[in-house]
Amino acid sequence: MPRSIQDRMDSLLQAFVMPAEIRPPLVECLLRPFEWYGFSRAKIRSQLKVLQNSSTSILYEWNGYKVWWPKAADPERLICMIAEIFVASNPHLYTPSNLPPWAVGKIAIDVGSCEGLFALRALHEFRAKQVIAIEPGRSMAELLKETFQVNGFD
């Protein structure tokens, strides 16, 4: 396991004042889903293109989806979000085939939109009539607006 990930997980778990004997199994449990989902972060990373760089954010493109991401945030988190939203082996994936027929063409509400990938997918692949994207974080909400603009939405 890369040291930086282990350090971050240890810091997170120490913040919750977890006994040392619980930490290793919990770290294993938190990191293993990426293996269970069977995706390769390296593959997603190789497909992720930088289109534009600003002083505070980076415009990435992955499989036709363009998304603004804060420069201060770890791009590995964006890669994990891509896997959570798009990788078919993820058991929590919302795929068009799993949507009930009555859901197609309706309004989708994405609460905690973050970078907006799920909202964009709802418009493109789930054929949502409209998406209401709610992001409480001020800086991410600004990037969310830019993400929708760069993808041709208001």
Side-chain angles (χ1 to χ4, degrees), residues 3 9 29 45 69 81 94 103 119 123 129 132 140 146:
R3 192 71 221 154
M9 294 304 297
C29 176
R45 194 178 298 109
W69 188 252
M81 289 178 157
Y94 292 92
L123 289 166
K129 177 173 77 173
I132 299 170
M140 284 308 295
E146 292 179 36

Side-chain angles (χ1 to χ4, degrees), residues 21-144:
E21 64 273 6
I22 294 176
R23 281 188 211 137
L26 187 55
V27 167
E28 180 86 13
C29 176
L30 291 171
L31 293 176
R32 185 169 288 166
F34 299 118
E35 298 165 16
W36 291 339
Y37 297 158
F39 81 91
S40 164
R41 281 190 264 187
K43 181 178 179 184
I44 293 173
R45 194 178 298 109
S46 72
Q47 296 169 339
L48 200 61
K49 297 178 183 86
V50 174
L51 298 180
Q52 192 175 336
N53 238 316
S54 79
S55 60
T56 59
S57 56
I58 301 170
L59 177 61
Y60 289 100
E61 181 178 24
W62 180 82
N63 280 3
Y65 290 95
K66 296 174 186 170
V67 60
W68 282 99
W69 188 252
K71 254 188 185 171
D74 188 351
E76 288 298 311
R77 184 65 192 128
L78 176 60
I79 290 167
C80 290
M81 289 178 157
I82 290 169
E84 291 171 3
I85 296 168
F86 293 95
V87 175
S89 57
N90 180 340
H92 303 288
L93 181 73
Y94 292 92
T95 61
S97 61
N98 290 344
L99 287 178
W102 54 262
V104 175
K106 302 292 182 181
I107 296 173
I109 301 173
D110 184 7
V111 179
S113 291
C114 193
E115 77 300 325
L117 282 171
F118 180 80
L120 289 171
R121 187 167 193 220
L123 289 166
H124 286 284
E125 295 180 41
F126 303 162
R127 299 180 310 277
K129 177 173 77 173
Q130 180 183 5
V131 170
I132 299 170
I134 301 168
E135 174 51 49
R138 185 180 309 244
S139 61
M140 284 308 295
E142 289 302 317
L143 289 179
L144 184 63

